[in-house]
């Protein structure tokens, strides 16, 4: 059903409407819709005809029915329809008070009629509301049984609890406003509707002010409503509360606005300072307090800057990086330990890192013997002379030597050949064990690359330690990279005890100098022949018990890749840097005479 004044539609008629279920105004409208059963018999279903416009009824155009029903008596049909109408009129009174009963009866008595009546119902062109007749309920006082046609029906609209008689839409009047004295302020409720965004400003900005203005415009007769502003009914107190809330809201807005400006300014200042301003830096050459800093291998400017900042040397990494890149020699800073000052300017820190005197390192040179390295470590660590040597003799097994080292009980120094050439941190306060461990670890890493066990078998040597020993001899006797390869061939050829030149004797002066801890070139034959030390290769065939120094990588590579030209002899003809090689003893004598001439012998 639809509301009054509107066309037919799908919106239902609310059951609480006083005219719900009314069959017509004051019982005078004709009943339109589905026809009742004829003579109490089951009603036949008529064929569905196209729906006619409501105005067609006013023009006398009626719906056509099946010809098979034309034989019925029209007067009898009218009498039955009038009697059914009387019953319907009483039933409508009942349905006004019991909408659910109407719904139940519609569904039970004639579902199809209910469905069709719902679809065809509404206000027609003559102002008639279509209804479907329903049987009255005997248990309902309003649902009286039908009487004879024309009899007077009791009027239930006059009872105190009944709804007033229905009125057409044109006669309806709006309900009057309740009097001011009848209004209960406590019972008033907020409206169920929301004005929406287009109906006014948000309460945060306009709500309080609008209420104050409304209170001022109200008449004196509604003073009770003015008292709602305060809990105790005091209007002035409520006004103060509203104004206070309004002031707090404005204060919040101002604080947020000012805070936003301050935050933007703060971050903007720091962004500008970090991007365009100079980095924080100390001034001068630092304090009197010294600090040791170890620069690892491969460290760049930013890495060094972080180390110095953590140690308290420079104030910021950016300041050091700027000074590092500005100095043309900055890239030449080497790995190692440095003694620096605290709170230095970045420029002074870079200059001190480039100064060799500030370096707290131990530099092991290729071919250098361990006894010399121990002395340098003692100096760098400010230890008494001989301290590091004693530690090496006592703690050598705990310093990380490979398992194949120290295989000969005649070795003078187990660490010889394992303090690999390089630069190592050695600043005051460090322990000698730490320095020695770093050197041995480096040597072990290098030797692992060459697979010395396989190389030892290839050159008919007993162990990887003998490969290191050959490399130490090549390093001690050679002068250039080319010399190293020829020198390695000389060693391998002489180690063959079946060779017709030396029969297994190396006869190297460097081995005798090692056992004497000297570096003399001129040694008398009588002195050499009297000494039977295992390191004396004049009186003992084969290699010495162990290395006689710390070979570098150039000598190591030459040892593993010797020449194959048949060299057995060599002589430093100038006594210093020039080395010449010979294949026979006759050629060797000629080189020896040349050496004597150059030396004045």
């Amino acid at each position: 059903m639809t509301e009054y004044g509107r066309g037919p539609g799908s919106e239902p008629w609310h059951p609480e409407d006083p005219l719900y279920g009314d069959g017509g105004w004051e019982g005078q409208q004709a009943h339109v819709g589905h026809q009742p059963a004829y003579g109490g018999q089951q009603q036949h279903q008529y064929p569905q005809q196209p729906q006619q416009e409501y105005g067609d009824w006013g023009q006398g155009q009626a719906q056509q029915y099946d010809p098979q029903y034309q034989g019925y008596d029209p007067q009898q049909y009218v009498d039955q329809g009038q009697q059914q109408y009387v019953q319907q009129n009483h039933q409508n009174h009942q349905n006004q008070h019991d909408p659910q009963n109407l719904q139940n009866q519609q569904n039970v008595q004639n579902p199809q009629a209910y469905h069709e009546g719902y679809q065809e119902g509404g206000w027609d062109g003559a102002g008639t509301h279509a209804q479907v007749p329903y049987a009255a309920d005997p248990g309902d006082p309003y649902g009286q049984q039908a009487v004879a046609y024309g009899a007077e029906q009791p009027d239930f609209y006059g009872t105190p609890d009944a709804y007033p008689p229905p009125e057409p839409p044109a006669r309806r009047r709006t309900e009057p406003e309740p009097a001011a004295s009848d209004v209960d302020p406590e019972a008033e409720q907020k409206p169920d509707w929301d004005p929406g965004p287009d109906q006014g400003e948000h309460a945060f900005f306009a709500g309080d002010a609008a209420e104050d203005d409304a209170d001022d415009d109200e008449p004196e007769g509604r003073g009770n409503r003015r008292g709602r502003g305060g809990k105790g009914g005091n209007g002035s107190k409520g006004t103060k509360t509203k104004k206070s809330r309004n002031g707090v809201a404005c204060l919040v807005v101002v604080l947020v606005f000012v805070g936003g400006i301050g935050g933007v300014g703060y971050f903007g200042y720091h962004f500008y300072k970090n991007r365009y301003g100079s980095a924080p830096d100390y001034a001068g050459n630092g304090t009197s307090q010294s600090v040791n800093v170890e620069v690892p291998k491969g460290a760049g400017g930013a890495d060094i800057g972080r180390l110095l900042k953590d140690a308290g040397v420079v104030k910021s990494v950016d300041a050091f990086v700027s000074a590092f890149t500005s100095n043309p020699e900055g890239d030449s800073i080497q790995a190692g330990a440095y003694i620096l000052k605290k709170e230095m300017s970045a420029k002074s820190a870079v200059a001190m890192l480039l100064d060799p005197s500030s370096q707290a390192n131990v530099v092991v040179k290729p071919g250098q013997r361990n006894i010399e390295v121990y002395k340098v470590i003692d100096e760098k660590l400010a230890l008494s002379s001989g301290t590091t040597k004693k530690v090496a003799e006592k703690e050598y097994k705990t310093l990380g030597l490979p398992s194949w080292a120290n295989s000969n009980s005649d070795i003078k120094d187990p660490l010889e050949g394992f303090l690999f050439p390089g630069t190592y941190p050695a600043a005051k306060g460090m322990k000698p064990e730490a320095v020695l461990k770093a050197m041995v670890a480096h040597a072990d890493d290098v030797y692992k690359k060459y697979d010395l066990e396989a190389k030892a078998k290839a050159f008919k040597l007993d162990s990887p330690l003998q490969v290191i020993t050959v490399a130490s001899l090549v390093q001690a006797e050679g002068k250039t990279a080319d010399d190293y390869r020829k020198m390695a061939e000389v060693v391998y050829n002489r180690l063959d005890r079946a060779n017709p030149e030396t029969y297994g004797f190396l006869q190297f002066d460097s081995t005798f100098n090692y056992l004497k801890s000297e570096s003399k070139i001129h040694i008398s034959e009588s002195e050499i022949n009297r000494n039977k030390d295992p390191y004396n290769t004049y009186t003992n065939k084969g290699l010495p018990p162990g290395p006689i120094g710390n070979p570098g990588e150039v000598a190591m590579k030459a040892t593993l890749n010797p020449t194959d030209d048949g060299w057995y002899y060599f002589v430093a003809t100038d006594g210093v840097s020039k080395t010449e090689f010979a294949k026979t003893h006759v050629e060797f004598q000629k080189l020896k005479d040349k050496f004597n001439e150059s030396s004045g012998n």
Side-chain angles (χ1 to χ4, degrees):
M1 302 300 177
T2 59
E3 296 181 359
Y4 297 119
R6 295 175 56 185
S10 61
E11 185 174 344
W13 196 354
H14 199 284
E16 294 184 3
D17 194 302
L19 299 184
Y20 178 81
D22 186 39
W25 305 116
E26 300 178 357
Q28 300 300 324
Q29 284 74 12
H31 181 70
V32 181
H34 191 72
Q35 300 297 330
Y38 180 75
Q41 299 178 4
Q42 182 177 3
Q43 183 178 352
H44 295 277
Q45 300 296 328
Y46 298 110
Q48 182 68 27
Q49 298 295 331
Q51 186 174 356
Q52 304 294 330
E53 297 292 337
Y54 292 115
D56 293 344
W57 292 100
Q59 298 175 3
Q61 297 176 2
Q63 185 176 4
Q64 298 298 325
Y65 297 96
D66 195 321
Q68 64 178 327
Y69 296 101
Q70 293 179 0
Y72 291 124
D73 185 1
Q75 184 62 38
Q76 182 181 1
Y77 181 81
V78 171
D79 292 342
Q80 293 292 337
Q82 289 177 349
Q83 183 178 2
Q84 188 69 19
Y85 171 77
V86 171
Q87 295 177 1
Q88 175 190 349
N89 190 28
H90 287 284
Q91 184 64 28
N92 289 340
H93 293 314
Q94 174 189 0
N95 292 338
Q96 292 176 1
H97 298 278
D98 192 359
Q100 184 63 36
N101 185 44
L102 171 62
Q103 179 69 25
N104 295 335
Q105 292 181 6
Q106 287 176 342
N107 295 338
V108 173
Q109 293 183 6
N110 196 343
Q112 180 177 1
Y114 166 75
H115 180 69
E116 294 178 355
Y118 180 82
Q119 293 180 341
E120 300 176 1
W123 295 99
D124 60 14
T128 302
H129 186 268
Q131 291 293 339
V132 179
Y134 303 98
D137 184 4
D140 193 333
Y142 288 96
Q144 301 298 325
Q145 300 297 324
V147 296
Y149 176 74
E152 183 179 357
Q153 297 288 340
D155 185 9
F156 292 102
Y157 286 100
T159 62
D161 296 333
Y163 284 102
E167 295 181 357
R171 300 180 186 178
R172 291 190 179 182
R173 298 179 300 275
T174 59
E175 295 184 4
E177 292 285 342
S181 60
D182 298 335
V183 177
D184 185 4
E186 299 296 334
E188 289 187 357
Q189 298 180 355
K190 296 177 62 178
D192 296 335
W193 51 270
D194 186 358
D198 296 332
Q199 302 300 323
E201 294 182 351
H202 195 278
F204 184 82
F205 299 100
D208 294 341
E211 291 180 5
D212 292 342
D213 294 342
D215 291 343
D216 294 340
D217 294 338
E218 283 185 345
E220 294 296 332
R222 304 187 69 179
N224 291 337
R225 300 190 67 178
R226 295 172 58 86
R228 289 184 297 167
K231 295 182 180 179
N234 190 337
S236 61
K237 185 176 180 180
T239 303
K240 290 181 180 180
T241 303
K242 296 174 183 177
K243 292 182 179 180
S244 176
R245 290 199 300 267
N246 194 23
V248 170
C250 294
L251 179 59
V252 170
V253 172
V254 171
L255 291 177
V256 171
F257 182 73
V258 173
I261 294 177
V264 171
Y266 174 82
F267 288 106
Y269 167 76
H270 282 275
F271 175 80
Y272 175 83
K273 185 176 180 182
N274 293 335
R275 187 175 182 86
Y276 302 105
S278 58
D281 195 5
Y282 293 121
N285 297 324
T287 64
S288 59
Q289 186 177 0
S290 299
V291 61
N292 298 325
V293 178
E294 182 179 348
V295 177
K297 186 177 181 180
D303 299 326
I304 299 174
R306 280 189 287 269
L307 293 173
L308 298 183
K309 183 179 182 300
D310 294 341
V313 177
V314 297
K315 194 170 186 179
S316 67
V317 177
D318 292 340
F320 179 82
V321 171
S322 178
F324 177 84
T325 55
S326 299
N327 193 313
E329 299 180 1
D331 292 336
S332 62
I333 296 176
Q334 298 179 354
Y338 296 84
I339 301 176
L340 305 174
K341 303 289 185 180
K342 282 199 171 185
E343 299 184 4
M344 301 178 66
S345 67
K347 184 177 180 180
S348 299
V350 172
M352 201 165 188
L353 289 171
L354 294 172
D355 186 0
S357 63
S358 65
Q359 296 181 5
N361 302 322
V362 172
V363 179
V364 179
K365 300 176 182 179
Q368 193 172 17
R369 298 172 184 171
N370 283 2
I371 190 63
E372 298 173 356
V373 177
Y374 297 150
K375 291 180 180 179
V376 176
I377 293 176
D378 289 340
E379 293 174 0
K380 294 293 183 179
L381 302 184
L383 302 175
S384 58
S385 179
T387 301
T388 303
K389 182 180 179 181
K390 292 179 181 179
V391 171
E393 293 174 353
K394 183 178 180 181
E395 305 291 342
Y396 72 91
K397 292 182 179 180
T398 64
L399 300 179
L401 290 170
S403 59
W404 43 263
N406 310 314
S407 59
N408 194 323
S409 60
D410 294 330
I411 293 176
K412 296 185 178 298
D413 187 347
L415 296 181
E416 196 73 70
F418 292 94
L419 304 183
F420 201 82
T423 302
Y424 303 92
K428 184 179 180 180
M430 295 179 65
K431 294 183 177 180
E433 297 95 313
V435 180
L436 296 175
K437 280 184 178 181
M439 296 176 178
V440 173
H442 188 197
D444 189 42
D445 292 338
V446 173
Y447 295 154
K448 285 180 179 178
K449 297 188 302 182
Y450 299 121
D451 191 11
L452 297 183
E453 292 185 2
K455 296 295 182 181
K457 294 179 180 180
F459 293 109
K460 299 179 180 180
L461 300 176
D462 296 337
S463 66
L465 181 62
Q466 287 193 340
V467 178
I468 305 301
T469 303
V470 172
S472 68
L473 296 175
V474 170
Q475 183 76 67
E477 297 287 352
K479 302 294 187 286
T480 64
D482 186 56
D483 291 347
Y484 294 151
R485 293 190 64 206
K486 294 178 179 179
M487 197 70 64
E489 183 185 357
V490 170
V491 173
Y492 292 134
N493 288 337
R494 287 196 173 204
L495 289 179
D496 183 4
R497 300 193 177 191
N499 76 82
E501 299 294 332
T502 63
Y503 301 100
F505 287 98
L506 290 178
Q507 298 177 334
F508 281 13
D509 294 344
S510 57
T511 60
F512 189 82
N513 289 335
Y514 177 80
L515 70 89
K516 300 291 289 187
S517 298
E518 298 176 355
S519 298
K520 294 181 179 180
I521 296 177
H522 302 287
I523 304 173
S524 64
E525 292 183 4
S526 59
E527 182 180 359
I528 291 176
N529 292 330
R530 287 195 304 267
N531 193 310
K532 303 299 181 180
D533 190 274
Y535 279 85
N536 186 353
T537 57
Y538 281 93
T539 58
N540 297 282
K541 290 184 177 181
L543 292 170
I548 62 173
N550 295 288
E553 283 205 75
V554 178
M556 278 295 304
K557 292 178 180 179
T559 301
L560 301 177
N561 186 29
T563 60
D564 190 16
D565 298 329
W567 308 115
Y568 279 87
Y569 304 93
F570 61 90
V571 176
T573 54
D574 64 351
V576 180
S577 60
K578 187 177 180 180
T579 303
E580 296 185 50
F581 294 85
K583 297 178 181 180
T584 63
H585 191 266
V586 175
E587 294 176 353
F588 167 71
Q589 288 294 335
K590 292 179 180 180
L591 294 177
K592 190 175 181 180
D593 293 339
K594 186 177 180 178
F595 167 76
N596 292 331
E597 290 177 359
S598 62
S599 61
N601 294 336

